[in-house]
Amino acid sequence: MKSASSLAWPASALPRRQFLKSLAAGAGLLAAAPPLLAADAALPDLSDRLKAPYRGPNVIIVRFGGGARRLETIDPEHTYAPFLCHDLAPRGTLYKRMNIDSFTPSVGVDTSHGQGTLYILTGKYEKYHDIERKFLAERFEAKVPTIFEYLRKAYDVPDYQALIVNGEDRTNEEFYTFSNHHLFGVNYRSNTLSLYRYKTFLLREQLQAGRWEGKVLEKKRAELAKLEKIDFRAEERNGQCAEIKQFWGRWRKYYGETGFVNPRGDRLLTELSIRAIKELRPKLLMVNYNDCDYVHWGNLSHYTKAVSVMDEGLKQLVATVEADAEYRDNTVFVIVPDCGRDNNPLAEVPCQHHSNSRSAHEIFALLYGTGIEKGVVVDKPVDQISVAGTVGAIMSFAAPHAESTILQEAIA
């Protein structure tokens, strides 16, 4: 096992070996009982102690989404992600047979983007429903804490260093920043970078500057009210924190106000993430790539091109970390899809995921970086919800409501 100093385990916390032993004990309960029992495992509770500053390793979760199959990603003969498959995988630990909801009996969850994101964030499968039970709506709230909440309750980490970078087409996922768990919740939330957040920031700034008057002013106020209404959890009616407002101010100065200069789609997420690393110095960062979902329009090339765009973005993120002295030897990447996709070759529209087909449940995970075993390929079934507990083990916080084993093979 890696030494305590190599993973910057704080002096105020339990010894790292004892911590991982406790996590393993929880995993043993899971192996011997139904998944729900893992939430009752006796794990260390650091929440009432004096918070220590977090020293690392930092963790960057790359949601290789929206919806990516093993075939076009980790299969060397068919990959559209050569950096992921041929360069990064040999430098880390690859889980070739990660699944969504492989339990017997299964939880019966949905294989989609918001749901998969919450499975990753919470370490628990839930059958999610829109908070107002609207048909086809996806405004979800987690019942158990997210990894961001665990981190911020255990350590002195501000919300602008616990970040989700989100796509412009899935604004519901803007608000998966905290659970409704009574011991965690909004006080330990993450923060979000997205085009939606920038547009809202920009319109507020323009209104405060008195740019418009008369009917134009009324129209602009209505536009802001419409943007604010998207925030169904009413987190930030007065805007984001000062550090992120300053971030948007620099973005505005560089890219302007039109939206025609800055990147779009998943390339936008890469740019936001790189700038966040350089300017906000996040401890825990989740990048929610999603362009693969354009395959719903019916053209397979939308999917394969999006896999390539994500792969190039991943390459840029790794290069950014490796060029930064504070991040280079103190960062772990966790690359995992939100869901898989259908592999029916006769389907009129290829690569769907809403039908809950077997291949929509079949994904992968790759861990790479500080304290992660190199050149390891794990060819046994593991579950997507193992990611949350594993991030907890890497970052040395307890995640008692995560319901699966940690990915022990990856931890050097």
Side-chain angles (χ1 to χ4, degrees), residues 58 60 62 83 88 91 267 269-282 285 287 289 311-331 333 368:
N58 310 299
I60 299 174
V62 178
F83 177 74
L88 206 60
R91 297 158 61 187
R267 291 185 176 91
L269 272 62
T270 300
E271 180 68 8
L272 284 171
S273 300
I274 290 172
R275 285 176 171 266
I277 291 168
K278 293 179 178 179
E279 298 177 20
L280 297 173
R281 315 302 281 175
L285 172 69
V287 186
Y289 285 135
D311 188 58
E312 182 59 34
L314 177 61
K315 184 177 182 179
Q316 291 177 256
L317 292 173
V318 171
T320 299
V321 165
E322 292 180 346
D324 189 306
E326 293 182 14
Y327 276 79
R328 184 184 307 122
D329 298 317
N330 196 30
T331 301
F333 282 85
Y368 158 75

Side-chain angles (χ1 to χ4, degrees), residues 148 159-164 191 193 244 276 280 282 284-286:
F148 292 104
D159 63 353
Y160 65 87
Q161 292 185 335
L163 290 172
I164 296 175
N191 220 314
L193 299 178
I244 292 187
L280 297 173
L284 179 56
L285 172 69
M286 185 173 188

Side-chain angles (χ1 to χ4, degrees), residues 129-309:
H129 300 281
D130 178 72
I131 59 173
E132 295 180 346
R133 299 282 174 160
K134 291 182 178 179
F135 182 63
L136 296 180
E138 293 188 338
R139 301 194 302 171
F140 303 141
E141 289 183 339
K143 297 177 183 177
V144 300
T146 67
I147 51 178
F148 292 104
E149 293 167 77
Y150 289 130
L151 174 68
R152 293 198 60 219
K153 190 167 186 178
Y155 294 98
D156 183 16
V157 176
D159 63 353
Y160 65 87
Q161 292 185 335
L163 290 172
I164 296 175
V165 180
N166 198 55
E168 58 190 283
D169 294 327
R170 300 196 61 83
T171 50
N172 286 332
E173 292 164 22
E174 297 283 323
F175 310 107
Y176 296 166
T177 51
F178 63 95
S179 69
N180 60 14
H181 192 279
H182 67 286
L183 296 178
F184 290 85
V186 66
N187 289 336
Y188 306 104
R189 68 177 181 227
S190 59
N191 220 314
T192 308
L193 299 178
S194 67
L195 191 59
Y196 157 74
R197 302 278 175 152
Y198 175 61
K199 289 178 179 177
T200 307
F201 159 84
L202 180 60
L203 191 47
R204 286 183 181 130
E205 291 287 303
Q206 291 169 335
L207 286 167
Q208 290 174 6
R211 176 173 293 192
W212 303 289
E213 58 184 20
K215 291 184 177 180
V216 176
L217 176 59
E218 292 177 10
K219 181 180 177 181
K220 294 297 181 179
R221 284 174 173 168
E223 288 179 11
L224 179 59
K226 185 177 180 180
L227 285 172
E228 290 179 337
K229 191 176 181 180
I230 295 173
D231 182 358
F232 62 89
R233 306 187 84 175
E235 291 182 67
E236 293 160 351
R237 290 290 191 234
N238 297 317
Q240 295 179 279
C241 66
E243 290 80 3
I244 292 187
K245 287 180 180 178
Q246 292 164 9
F247 176 91
W248 290 132
R250 293 186 292 269
W251 182 272
R252 179 185 186 183
K253 185 175 181 180
Y254 191 81
Y255 283 115
E257 301 178 356
T258 65
F260 297 130
V261 179
N262 56 265
R264 302 298 293 270
D266 282 349
R267 291 185 176 91
L268 169 69
L269 272 62
T270 300
E271 180 68 8
L272 284 171
S273 300
I274 290 172
R275 285 176 171 266
I277 291 168
K278 293 179 178 179
E279 298 177 20
L280 297 173
R281 315 302 281 175
K283 309 300 184 183
L284 179 56
L285 172 69
M286 185 173 188
V287 186
N288 286 343
Y289 285 135
N290 198 67
D291 279 2
C292 285
D293 207 38
Y294 287 124
V295 74
H296 285 303
W297 292 99
N299 192 333
L300 182 63
S301 66
H302 289 164
Y303 167 68
T304 54
K305 178 63 176 177
V307 172
S308 299
V309 169

